[in-house]
mmCIF file of all heavy atoms in Angstrom:
data_model
loop_
_atom_site.group_PDB
_atom_site.id
_atom_site.type_symbol
_atom_site.label_atom_id
_atom_site.label_comp_id
_atom_site.label_asym_id
_atom_site.label_seq_id
_atom_site.Cartn_x
_atom_site.Cartn_y
_atom_site.Cartn_z
ATOM 1 N N GLU Y 316 11.477 -14.407 12.604
ATOM 2 C CA GLU Y 316 12.729 -14.842 13.237
ATOM 3 C C GLU Y 316 12.425 -15.904 14.292
ATOM 4 O O GLU Y 316 13.113 -16.853 14.476
ATOM 5 C CB GLU Y 316 13.546 -13.688 13.758
ATOM 6 C CG GLU Y 316 14.805 -14.011 14.488
ATOM 7 C CD GLU Y 316 15.852 -14.804 13.562
ATOM 8 O OE1 GLU Y 316 15.746 -14.901 12.497
ATOM 9 O OE2 GLU Y 316 16.872 -15.176 14.209
ATOM 10 N N ASP Y 373 -13.167 -28.368 34.285
ATOM 11 C CA ASP Y 373 -12.316 -27.654 35.278
ATOM 12 C C ASP Y 373 -10.869 -27.789 34.842
ATOM 13 O O ASP Y 373 -10.536 -28.621 34.051
ATOM 14 C CB ASP Y 373 -12.475 -28.161 36.597
ATOM 15 C CG ASP Y 373 -12.108 -27.144 37.699
ATOM 16 O OD1 ASP Y 373 -11.692 -25.987 37.279
ATOM 17 O OD2 ASP Y 373 -12.264 -27.357 38.911
ATOM 18 N N ASP Y 381 -5.672 -27.400 28.110
ATOM 19 C CA ASP Y 381 -7.001 -27.145 28.834
ATOM 20 C C ASP Y 381 -7.873 -26.230 28.052
ATOM 21 O O ASP Y 381 -9.014 -26.380 27.984
ATOM 22 C CB ASP Y 381 -6.694 -26.552 30.156
ATOM 23 C CG ASP Y 381 -6.357 -27.607 31.330
ATOM 24 O OD1 ASP Y 381 -6.048 -28.715 30.865
ATOM 25 O OD2 ASP Y 381 -6.294 -27.253 32.417
ATOM 26 N N ARG Y 389 -2.433 -26.044 18.802
ATOM 27 C CA ARG Y 389 -1.695 -27.334 18.616
ATOM 28 C C ARG Y 389 -2.100 -27.959 17.337
ATOM 29 O O ARG Y 389 -1.277 -28.529 16.589
ATOM 30 C CB ARG Y 389 -1.921 -28.249 19.845
ATOM 31 C CG ARG Y 389 -1.245 -27.752 21.073
ATOM 32 C CD ARG Y 389 -1.194 -28.797 22.105
ATOM 33 N NE ARG Y 389 -0.827 -28.232 23.505
ATOM 34 C CZ ARG Y 389 -0.730 -28.890 24.557
ATOM 35 N NH1 ARG Y 389 -1.109 -30.209 24.531
ATOM 36 N NH2 ARG Y 389 -0.343 -28.295 25.661
ATOM 37 N N TYR Y 413 13.088 -9.610 3.725
ATOM 38 C CA TYR Y 413 13.975 -8.746 2.884
ATOM 39 C C TYR Y 413 13.181 -7.820 2.039
ATOM 40 O O TYR Y 413 13.738 -6.970 1.453
ATOM 41 C CB TYR Y 413 14.734 -9.709 1.957
ATOM 42 C CG TYR Y 413 15.960 -10.340 2.574
ATOM 43 C CD1 TYR Y 413 16.517 -11.569 2.094
ATOM 44 C CD2 TYR Y 413 16.729 -9.720 3.597
ATOM 45 C CE1 TYR Y 413 17.690 -12.121 2.640
ATOM 46 C CE2 TYR Y 413 17.885 -10.300 4.190
ATOM 47 C CZ TYR Y 413 18.306 -11.433 3.674
ATOM 48 O OH TYR Y 413 19.455 -12.015 4.167
ATOM 49 N N ARG Y 418 14.305 0.257 -0.488
ATOM 50 C CA ARG Y 418 15.818 -0.103 -0.419
ATOM 51 C C ARG Y 418 16.439 0.187 -1.697
ATOM 52 O O ARG Y 418 17.533 0.838 -1.717
ATOM 53 C CB ARG Y 418 15.933 -1.579 -0.057
ATOM 54 C CG ARG Y 418 17.246 -1.930 0.231
ATOM 55 C CD ARG Y 418 17.303 -3.354 0.932
ATOM 56 N NE ARG Y 418 18.691 -3.960 0.719
ATOM 57 C CZ ARG Y 418 18.913 -4.736 -0.287
ATOM 58 N NH1 ARG Y 418 18.140 -5.014 -1.240
ATOM 59 N NH2 ARG Y 418 20.264 -5.123 -0.350
ATOM 60 N N TYR Y 448 -2.254 1.679 8.681
ATOM 61 C CA TYR Y 448 -1.226 2.822 8.329
ATOM 62 C C TYR Y 448 -0.168 2.319 7.319
ATOM 63 O O TYR Y 448 0.298 3.159 6.593
ATOM 64 C CB TYR Y 448 -0.637 3.346 9.644
ATOM 65 C CG TYR Y 448 0.507 2.532 10.197
ATOM 66 C CD1 TYR Y 448 1.882 2.597 9.751
ATOM 67 C CD2 TYR Y 448 0.339 1.585 11.315
ATOM 68 C CE1 TYR Y 448 2.913 1.930 10.345
ATOM 69 C CE2 TYR Y 448 1.299 0.795 11.838
ATOM 70 C CZ TYR Y 448 2.596 0.994 11.322
ATOM 71 O OH TYR Y 448 3.638 0.132 11.820
ATOM 72 N N GLU F 340 1.336 -20.457 25.275
ATOM 73 C CA GLU F 340 1.288 -21.929 24.857
ATOM 74 C C GLU F 340 2.411 -22.095 23.839
ATOM 75 O O GLU F 340 3.053 -23.243 23.829
ATOM 76 C CB GLU F 340 -0.123 -22.250 24.251
ATOM 77 C CG GLU F 340 -0.155 -23.491 23.650
ATOM 78 C CD GLU F 340 0.096 -24.773 24.471
ATOM 79 O OE1 GLU F 340 0.132 -24.566 25.766
ATOM 80 O OE2 GLU F 340 -0.148 -25.894 24.020
ATOM 81 N N ASP F 381 4.623 -2.055 18.378
ATOM 82 C CA ASP F 381 4.872 -1.885 17.047
ATOM 83 C C ASP F 381 5.741 -0.628 16.811
ATOM 84 O O ASP F 381 6.886 -0.711 16.286
ATOM 85 C CB ASP F 381 3.572 -1.761 16.212
ATOM 86 C CG ASP F 381 3.779 -1.615 14.741
ATOM 87 O OD1 ASP F 381 4.679 -2.321 14.149
ATOM 88 O OD2 ASP F 381 3.154 -0.733 14.152
ATOM 89 N N ASP F 397 24.752 -4.714 3.578
ATOM 90 C CA ASP F 397 23.795 -5.281 2.766
ATOM 91 C C ASP F 397 23.323 -6.538 3.118
ATOM 92 O O ASP F 397 23.959 -7.274 3.994
ATOM 93 C CB ASP F 397 24.384 -5.378 1.324
ATOM 94 C CG ASP F 397 23.338 -5.401 0.158
ATOM 95 O OD1 ASP F 397 22.170 -5.449 0.610
ATOM 96 O OD2 ASP F 397 23.726 -5.387 -1.009
ATOM 97 N N ASP F 405 20.666 -10.816 9.932
ATOM 98 C CA ASP F 405 20.958 -9.598 9.276
ATOM 99 C C ASP F 405 20.417 -8.335 9.950
ATOM 100 O O ASP F 405 21.138 -7.332 9.878
ATOM 101 C CB ASP F 405 20.448 -9.653 7.824
ATOM 102 C CG ASP F 405 21.215 -10.536 6.921
ATOM 103 O OD1 ASP F 405 22.050 -11.268 7.351
ATOM 104 O OD2 ASP F 405 20.940 -10.511 5.655
ATOM 105 N N ARG F 413 17.736 -12.757 19.428
ATOM 106 C CA ARG F 413 18.617 -13.944 19.667
ATOM 107 C C ARG F 413 19.366 -13.737 20.970
ATOM 108 O O ARG F 413 19.540 -14.631 21.756
ATOM 109 C CB ARG F 413 19.547 -14.134 18.449
ATOM 110 C CG ARG F 413 18.906 -14.682 17.262
ATOM 111 C CD ARG F 413 20.021 -15.099 16.239
ATOM 112 N NE ARG F 413 19.403 -15.366 14.951
ATOM 113 C CZ ARG F 413 19.983 -15.828 13.880
ATOM 114 N NH1 ARG F 413 21.275 -15.916 13.919
ATOM 115 N NH2 ARG F 413 19.327 -16.039 12.758
ATOM 116 N N TYR F 437 -4.083 -19.618 33.944
ATOM 117 C CA TYR F 437 -5.151 -20.006 34.957
ATOM 118 C C TYR F 437 -5.822 -18.840 35.579
ATOM 119 O O TYR F 437 -6.813 -18.993 36.179
ATOM 120 C CB TYR F 437 -4.544 -21.061 35.824
ATOM 121 C CG TYR F 437 -4.550 -22.487 35.335
ATOM 122 C CD1 TYR F 437 -3.638 -23.420 35.888
ATOM 123 C CD2 TYR F 437 -5.459 -22.980 34.374
ATOM 124 C CE1 TYR F 437 -3.615 -24.759 35.416
ATOM 125 C CE2 TYR F 437 -5.311 -24.227 33.893
ATOM 126 C CZ TYR F 437 -4.416 -25.162 34.433
ATOM 127 O OH TYR F 437 -4.416 -26.447 34.005
ATOM 128 N N ARG F 442 -13.699 -16.572 37.815
ATOM 129 C CA ARG F 442 -13.907 -17.995 37.815
ATOM 130 C C ARG F 442 -14.543 -18.472 39.020
ATOM 131 O O ARG F 442 -15.559 -19.159 39.142
ATOM 132 C CB ARG F 442 -12.696 -18.721 37.581
ATOM 133 C CG ARG F 442 -12.804 -20.187 37.280
ATOM 134 C CD ARG F 442 -11.499 -20.871 36.619
ATOM 135 N NE ARG F 442 -11.586 -22.256 36.920
ATOM 136 C CZ ARG F 442 -11.079 -22.812 37.915
ATOM 137 N NH1 ARG F 442 -10.444 -22.175 38.902
ATOM 138 N NH2 ARG F 442 -11.141 -24.145 38.102
ATOM 139 N N TYR F 472 -8.099 -1.325 27.850
ATOM 140 C CA TYR F 472 -9.440 -1.782 28.134
ATOM 141 C C TYR F 472 -9.614 -2.799 29.290
ATOM 142 O O TYR F 472 -10.528 -2.924 29.944
ATOM 143 C CB TYR F 472 -10.199 -2.318 26.797
ATOM 144 C CG TYR F 472 -9.912 -3.719 26.389
ATOM 145 C CD1 TYR F 472 -10.593 -4.739 26.801
ATOM 146 C CD2 TYR F 472 -8.900 -3.928 25.427
ATOM 147 C CE1 TYR F 472 -10.169 -6.140 26.471
ATOM 148 C CE2 TYR F 472 -8.610 -5.243 24.981
ATOM 149 C CZ TYR F 472 -9.169 -6.156 25.464
ATOM 150 O OH TYR F 472 -8.922 -7.462 25.012
#
Side-chain angles (χ1 to χ4, degrees):
Chain Y
E316 173 64 2
D373 201 355
D381 279 12
R389 289 186 190 185
Y413 278 154
R418 189 169 159 268
Y448 80 83
Chain F
E340 173 66 1
D381 179 47
D397 202 355
D405 279 12
R413 289 187 189 184
Y437 278 154
R442 189 168 159 269
Y472 79 83

